[in-house]
Amino acid sequence: MSNKILFVEDEEDLTLIVADTLRGQGYDVLTAVDGIAGLEKFKTEAADIVVADVMMPKMDGFTMAKEIRKLSPTVPLLFLTAKSTIDDVEEGFEIGANDYLKKPFELRELIVRIKALLCRYNNRGEDIKFHIGRYIFNVTTQTLSLEERRLELTHFEAKILQRLATCIGKTVDASELMIAVWQRDEQSNRNSLHGYIHKLRRILRHDPSISIINQRGFGYMLTVENNNSSNSPPTN
């Protein structure tokens, strides 16, 4: 049985092109022209993933997403947006988005993003985990556990921590982090990155062996004293 995609977009030509392309890839595609129609289709026909524009008439994509999240906490949400500021992107993730793609975009990239989200959320048994000192970082569920405590990370916290955990003991270039998390590197937005690093330091403070070091002018390094698993791959 093919995965069902709900594509919500008010640009008719773009909808026709995307829907035809996705159907050619074997997907079952539902379409809607605004947030109200998209929400109604999700209620009546459901979907395995929702791909939606942010700026739409009657009900915008963010408002629609909030309502969909009330109905389904787990269905993947992918936003299409012409907005480019980090604040706009963060707003989308704060209300439950799983990914976003800037307009204009290549259809090939949209397909890759859809496949990645469906793979991630349809295979819950294959969680990717990192052991960071006494913490267990579950990349798939974006949670950080320490003994009986379990904390849900935001999308950006999880993205940054994943990149740092992949390179424990090595400096990760700030530009690399910006591109990995926000898909672009703008000097004016470096304060946002530093703010998330500060949050991660506070979150990880219960294990004093863990540090996130600021390599001024270069980037950041995650270190764990007497870490025996720094060179170990993540576990499933």
Side-chain angles (χ1 to χ4, degrees), residues 5-9 49-53 76 78-80 110 114:
I5 300 172
L6 173 58
F7 186 77
V8 190
E9 167 63 63
I49 184 171
V50 178
V51 181
D53 190 17
L78 169 59
F79 279 132
L80 308 175
L110 175 61
I114 289 172

Side-chain angles (χ1 to χ4, degrees), residues 5-11 14-15 18 22 30 32-36 38-39 49-56 59-66 68 76-82 92 95 97 99-103 105 110 114 117:
I5 300 172
L6 173 58
F7 186 77
V8 190
E9 167 63 63
D10 62 319
E11 293 182 35
L14 179 59
T15 297
V18 171
L22 292 175
L30 304 172
V33 297
D34 57 55
I36 291 177
L39 179 59
I49 184 171
V50 178
V51 181
D53 190 17
V54 173
M55 301 298 293
M56 293 186 293
M59 179 186 286
D60 62 55
F62 287 165
T63 304
M64 182 192 72
K66 289 178 183 177
I68 287 177
L77 293 171
L78 169 59
F79 279 132
L80 308 175
T81 177
I95 64 175
D99 201 358
Y100 79 101
L101 191 57
K102 286 178 61 180
K103 287 183 172 183
F105 54 84
L110 175 61
I114 289 172
L117 285 174

Side-chain angles (χ1 to χ4, degrees), residues 1-30:
M1 185 176 178
S2 61
N3 289 116
K4 185 185 293 185
I5 300 172
L6 173 58
F7 186 77
V8 190
E9 167 63 63
D10 62 319
E11 293 182 35
E12 184 177 354
D13 290 343
L14 179 59
T15 297
L16 288 172
I17 293 170
V18 171
D20 284 348
T21 300
L22 292 175
R23 289 179 181 127
Q25 294 286 316
Y27 295 107
D28 181 8
V29 183
L30 304 172

